[in-house]
Amino acid sequence: MLSYDELMEIHARVRFKHDETGRLITGPLLFIGTTGKGIVERYHQTLDKDITNELKRFVKNSSWLDNPNKVNMVKMIEILNKERPVERVYAGPVYVFDDVQGKPTEAVRITHENIELLEQHFSDYIEDVDVGQPVFAVVRDRVAVSLCCSAVQTSIGAEASLRTAKDYRGRAYALDVTTAWAAEIQQQGRIALFSTAWNNMSSQAIARKLELKQYGVELELR
């Protein structure tokens, strides 16, 4: 079993590209992942060295584990604002799937052979089918009504992206299609991950129904 800290490291590597020194090439100016036992921190490679060092000192001296609610978010933003304005703050829980291999679902794998199933509700995703593999859908009347794919992925892990057509929500299709996606990722020997924002109550509800294990919380300053 991987530790929560190891899972957070995998999450960061899956979400963002890194340079050879561990700095972010893509993603936020500052990423902090807390697990209750440790933290994973990442700084964007474009940040000034003095700004990065000041942030590192602040992060090191903050109460991420003992009392995370008292960490001075404003101070971090003030430090970053010395170089460029922070335009977005994102935070939310991060989860990992337990082993779901072998669980029955009605979802079908979406490939170029049946890509027409996406045309009615998910036509905007058709061009991304290759990038998001594996892609699964729940199909009703020859139309995909719920879709789960890989939002980002590496050889180690992948993170789920879930969409359900408006008129088909609340029917447990999201649970079915997400389980199919996670089972395929796990069959490939990779880690199946899921994350969302604190204000996305519907995604958090899906995580609870799927009985996903929350291993930490992420914070991004962009």
Side-chain angles (χ1 to χ4, degrees), residues 24-81:
L24 298 179
I25 299 172
T26 62
L29 299 173
L30 172 64
F31 167 85
I32 301 288
T34 62
T35 67
K37 294 185 178 180
I39 69 169
V40 173
E41 55 189 290
R42 294 288 189 273
Y43 304 87
H44 202 279
Q45 65 174 5
T46 59
L47 284 175
D48 177 80
K49 183 178 179 180
D50 290 339
I51 297 294
T52 300
N53 289 336
E54 187 176 358
L55 282 169
K56 286 181 177 180
R57 288 192 297 271
F58 177 83
V59 169
K60 181 179 179 180
N61 294 321
S62 296
S63 57
W64 298 101
L65 304 183
D66 299 330
N67 201 336
N69 290 331
K70 288 194 173 181
V71 173
N72 191 341
M73 293 276 297
V74 174
K75 180 60 177 178
M76 286 190 291
I77 292 172
E78 287 177 350
I79 295 172
L80 284 168
N81 281 345

Side-chain angles (χ1 to χ4, degrees), residues 26-219:
T26 62
L29 299 173
L30 172 64
F31 167 85
I32 301 288
T34 62
T35 67
K37 294 185 178 180
I39 69 169
V40 173
E41 55 189 290
R42 294 288 189 273
Y43 304 87
H44 202 279
Q45 65 174 5
T46 59
L47 284 175
D48 177 80
K49 183 178 179 180
D50 290 339
I51 297 294
T52 300
N53 289 336
E54 187 176 358
L55 282 169
K56 286 181 177 180
R57 288 192 297 271
F58 177 83
V59 169
K60 181 179 179 180
N61 294 321
S62 296
S63 57
W64 298 101
L65 304 183
D66 299 330
N67 201 336
N69 290 331
K70 288 194 173 181
V71 173
N72 191 341
M73 293 276 297
V74 174
K75 180 60 177 178
M76 286 190 291
I77 292 172
E78 287 177 350
I79 295 172
L80 284 168
N81 281 345
K82 293 177 182 179
E83 181 168 324
R84 73 186 78 167
V86 173
E87 298 178 349
R88 183 187 176 205
V89 177
Y90 173 91
V94 289
Y95 307 91
V96 64
F97 285 78
D98 282 328
D99 188 359
V100 294
Q101 295 179 78
K103 281 194 174 183
T105 76
E106 295 183 61
V108 300
R109 182 82 176 260
I110 299 295
T111 66
H112 283 282
E113 293 182 0
N114 60 358
I115 203 169
E116 72 279 356
L117 296 173
L118 302 182
E119 290 178 356
Q120 183 165 330
H121 296 297
F122 307 111
S123 60
D124 60 326
Y125 187 72
I126 288 175
E127 292 184 0
D128 296 322
V129 162
D130 288 337
V131 177
Q133 290 292 338
V135 180
F136 284 87
V138 168
V139 177
R140 291 293 178 267
D141 299 322
R142 295 295 300 170
V143 172
V145 298
S146 187
L147 182 74
C148 187
C149 64
S150 301
V152 286
Q153 57 185 321
T154 67
S155 60
I156 298 174
E159 184 145 339
S161 174
L162 173 65
R163 301 166 63 182
T164 300
K166 184 177 180 181
D167 293 340
Y168 293 87
R169 294 171 187 170
R171 305 187 193 183
Y173 295 157
L175 308 185
D176 215 34
V177 74
T178 309
T179 297
W181 171 87
E184 176 62 24
I185 292 296
Q186 292 170 347
Q187 191 172 2
Q188 295 173 4
R190 298 190 290 161
I191 308 298
L193 302 170
F194 185 83
S195 66
T196 189
W198 283 123
N199 62 357
N200 192 334
M201 305 309 293
S202 61
S203 287
Q204 290 178 55
I206 289 169
R208 288 192 296 272
K209 291 175 182 177
L210 286 167
E211 298 182 343
L212 302 188
K213 183 180 298 181
Q214 184 183 343
Y215 61 90
V217 173
E218 67 173 326
L219 168 68

